[in-house]
Amino acid sequence: MPERALPTKVSKQIIKCLVATWRGYFQAIKEWSKHPQKFLGKPKIPKYKNKTQGRNVVIYSCIISL
């Protein structure tokens, strides 16, 4: 598994970011179903980034690297 190549605290931070992204998506869907005029279109599900062109934030801290 690729997440095992990272320290545990870093992989947990990545999971937290993913959970926040999906929660935001579901909140947007709920809001869109009630008030579609607030949106330009139906919210799209989060997708994987391109392996070569996609960029993402990885959280490292001083505590993690010790």
Side-chain angles (χ1 to χ4, degrees):
M1 299 182 108
E3 68 272 1
R4 294 197 183 225
L6 296 171
T8 304
K9 291 183 181 181
V10 174
S11 59
K12 285 183 181 181
Q13 288 296 322
I14 292 170
I15 298 295
K16 279 185 180 181
C17 290
L18 285 171
V19 168
T21 301
W22 277 98
R23 280 189 182 149
Y25 166 71
F26 288 121
Q27 287 174 351
I29 286 289
K30 189 182 287 187
E31 186 67 22
W32 175 77
S33 66
K34 292 178 185 174
H35 306 287
Q37 67 277 8
K38 290 184 178 182
F39 295 83
L40 296 176
K42 183 178 178 181
K44 296 180 181 178
I45 63 169
K47 296 184 179 183
Y48 288 106
K49 296 187 183 258
N50 186 310
K51 285 186 177 186
T52 57
Q53 296 174 348
R55 301 287 182 255
N56 209 348
V57 177
V58 177
I59 302 163
Y60 281 97
S61 73
C62 296
I63 297 171
I64 293 171
S65 62
L66 293 177

